[in-house]
PDB file of all heavy atoms in Angstrom:
ATOM      1  N   GLY A  21     345.895  -7.578  77.507  1.00 56.00           N
ATOM      2  CA  GLY A  21     344.910  -6.600  77.942  1.00 56.00           C
ATOM      3  C   GLY A  21     344.686  -5.485  76.947  1.00 56.00           C
ATOM      4  O   GLY A  21     343.938  -4.545  77.227  1.00 56.00           O
ATOM      5  N   VAL A  32     333.080  -4.018  66.742  1.00 62.00           N
ATOM      6  CA  VAL A  32     331.848  -3.288  67.047  1.00 62.00           C
ATOM      7  C   VAL A  32     330.883  -3.323  65.872  1.00 62.00           C
ATOM      8  O   VAL A  32     329.685  -3.585  66.020  1.00 62.00           O
ATOM      9  CB  VAL A  32     332.184  -1.834  67.428  1.00 62.00           C
ATOM     10  CG1 VAL A  32     330.919  -0.991  67.523  1.00 62.00           C
ATOM     11  CG2 VAL A  32     332.938  -1.801  68.751  1.00 62.00           C
ATOM     12  N   LYS A  43     330.818   7.215  73.934  1.00 57.00           N
ATOM     13  CA  LYS A  43     331.856   6.393  74.559  1.00 57.00           C
ATOM     14  C   LYS A  43     332.735   5.737  73.493  1.00 57.00           C
ATOM     15  O   LYS A  43     333.951   5.621  73.658  1.00 57.00           O
ATOM     16  CB  LYS A  43     331.222   5.327  75.445  1.00 57.00           C
ATOM     17  CG  LYS A  43     330.459   5.889  76.629  1.00 57.00           C
ATOM     18  CD  LYS A  43     329.854   4.767  77.465  1.00 57.00           C
ATOM     19  CE  LYS A  43     329.065   5.337  78.629  1.00 57.00           C
ATOM     20  NZ  LYS A  43     328.453   4.271  79.446  1.00 57.00           N
ATOM     21  N   LYS A  68     344.164  15.115  74.061  1.00 49.00           N
ATOM     22  CA  LYS A  68     343.421  16.323  73.724  1.00 49.00           C
ATOM     23  C   LYS A  68     343.757  16.791  72.318  1.00 49.00           C
ATOM     24  O   LYS A  68     342.898  17.286  71.594  1.00 49.00           O
ATOM     25  CB  LYS A  68     343.736  17.418  74.741  1.00 49.00           C
ATOM     26  CG  LYS A  68     343.254  17.095  76.147  1.00 49.00           C
ATOM     27  CD  LYS A  68     343.664  18.192  77.117  1.00 49.00           C
ATOM     28  CE  LYS A  68     343.270  17.824  78.534  1.00 49.00           C
ATOM     29  NZ  LYS A  68     343.696  18.845  79.518  1.00 49.00           N
ATOM     30  N   LEU A 149     339.560  27.249 121.943  1.00 85.00           N
ATOM     31  CA  LEU A 149     340.908  27.562 122.416  1.00 85.00           C
ATOM     32  C   LEU A 149     341.434  26.477 123.358  1.00 85.00           C
ATOM     33  O   LEU A 149     341.911  26.753 124.467  1.00 85.00           O
ATOM     34  CB  LEU A 149     340.923  28.933 123.111  1.00 85.00           C
ATOM     35  CG  LEU A 149     340.505  30.137 122.246  1.00 85.00           C
ATOM     36  CD1 LEU A 149     340.545  31.415 123.072  1.00 85.00           C
ATOM     37  CD2 LEU A 149     341.395  30.270 121.021  1.00 85.00           C
ATOM     38  N   MET A 180     344.724  17.185 115.608  1.00 95.00           N
ATOM     39  CA  MET A 180     344.424  18.070 116.737  1.00 95.00           C
ATOM     40  C   MET A 180     344.073  19.463 116.206  1.00 95.00           C
ATOM     41  O   MET A 180     344.593  19.896 115.182  1.00 95.00           O
ATOM     42  CB  MET A 180     345.626  18.155 117.677  1.00 95.00           C
ATOM     43  CG  MET A 180     346.122  16.813 118.189  1.00 95.00           C
ATOM     44  SD  MET A 180     344.986  16.056 119.357  1.00 95.00           S
ATOM     45  CE  MET A 180     345.155  17.157 120.756  1.00 95.00           C
ATOM     46  N   PHE A 189     336.182  25.033 110.153  1.00 94.00           N
ATOM     47  CA  PHE A 189     336.697  25.612 108.915  1.00 94.00           C
ATOM     48  C   PHE A 189     337.410  24.554 108.079  1.00 94.00           C
ATOM     49  O   PHE A 189     337.150  24.414 106.871  1.00 94.00           O
ATOM     50  CB  PHE A 189     337.650  26.759 109.248  1.00 94.00           C
ATOM     51  CG  PHE A 189     338.247  27.431 108.056  1.00 94.00           C
ATOM     52  CD1 PHE A 189     337.526  28.354 107.327  1.00 94.00           C
ATOM     53  CD2 PHE A 189     339.547  27.139 107.659  1.00 94.00           C
ATOM     54  CE1 PHE A 189     338.075  28.983 106.216  1.00 94.00           C
ATOM     55  CE2 PHE A 189     340.102  27.759 106.556  1.00 94.00           C
ATOM     56  CZ  PHE A 189     339.372  28.684 105.834  1.00 94.00           C
ATOM     57  N   TRP A 256     340.677  30.046  83.655  1.00 89.00           N
ATOM     58  CA  TRP A 256     339.492  30.832  83.969  1.00 89.00           C
ATOM     59  C   TRP A 256     338.424  30.738  82.870  1.00 89.00           C
ATOM     60  O   TRP A 256     337.235  30.578  83.157  1.00 89.00           O
ATOM     61  CB  TRP A 256     339.902  32.289  84.184  1.00 89.00           C
ATOM     62  CG  TRP A 256     338.796  33.154  84.701  1.00 89.00           C
ATOM     63  CD1 TRP A 256     337.990  33.981  83.996  1.00 89.00           C
ATOM     64  CD2 TRP A 256     338.385  33.260  86.073  1.00 89.00           C
ATOM     65  NE1 TRP A 256     337.100  34.614  84.828  1.00 89.00           N
ATOM     66  CE2 TRP A 256     337.319  34.189  86.110  1.00 89.00           C
ATOM     67  CE3 TRP A 256     338.804  32.674  87.257  1.00 89.00           C
ATOM     68  CZ2 TRP A 256     336.669  34.533  87.292  1.00 89.00           C
ATOM     69  CZ3 TRP A 256     338.166  33.022  88.443  1.00 89.00           C
ATOM     70  CH2 TRP A 256     337.112  33.940  88.456  1.00 89.00           C
ATOM     71  N   VAL A 283     347.682  34.203 113.244  1.00 93.00           N
ATOM     72  CA  VAL A 283     348.744  35.158 113.604  1.00 93.00           C
ATOM     73  C   VAL A 283     348.394  35.849 114.917  1.00 93.00           C
ATOM     74  O   VAL A 283     349.258  36.032 115.803  1.00 93.00           O
ATOM     75  CB  VAL A 283     348.938  36.194 112.477  1.00 93.00           C
ATOM     76  CG1 VAL A 283     349.916  37.279 112.908  1.00 93.00           C
ATOM     77  CG2 VAL A 283     349.443  35.505 111.209  1.00 93.00           C
ATOM     78  N   CYS A 329     358.173  16.487  82.847  1.00 92.00           N
ATOM     79  CA  CYS A 329     359.392  17.062  83.414  1.00 92.00           C
ATOM     80  C   CYS A 329     359.077  17.929  84.629  1.00 92.00           C
ATOM     81  O   CYS A 329     359.813  17.924  85.622  1.00 92.00           O
ATOM     82  CB  CYS A 329     360.123  17.878  82.345  1.00 92.00           C
ATOM     83  SG  CYS A 329     361.655  18.663  82.909  1.00 92.00           S
ATOM     84  N   PRO A 361     360.753  26.023 124.512  1.00 86.00           N
ATOM     85  CA  PRO A 361     360.090  25.753 125.785  1.00 86.00           C
ATOM     86  C   PRO A 361     360.234  24.285 126.180  1.00 86.00           C
ATOM     87  O   PRO A 361     360.380  23.418 125.308  1.00 86.00           O
ATOM     88  CB  PRO A 361     358.634  26.099 125.498  1.00 86.00           C
ATOM     89  CG  PRO A 361     358.491  25.950 124.017  1.00 86.00           C
ATOM     90  CD  PRO A 361     359.806  26.352 123.440  1.00 86.00           C
TER      91      PRO A 361
END
Side-chain angles (χ1 to χ4, degrees):
V32 170
K43 296 180 181 179
K68 295 177 184 178
L149 300 179
M180 305 290 291
F189 180 79
W256 188 262
V283 173
C329 180

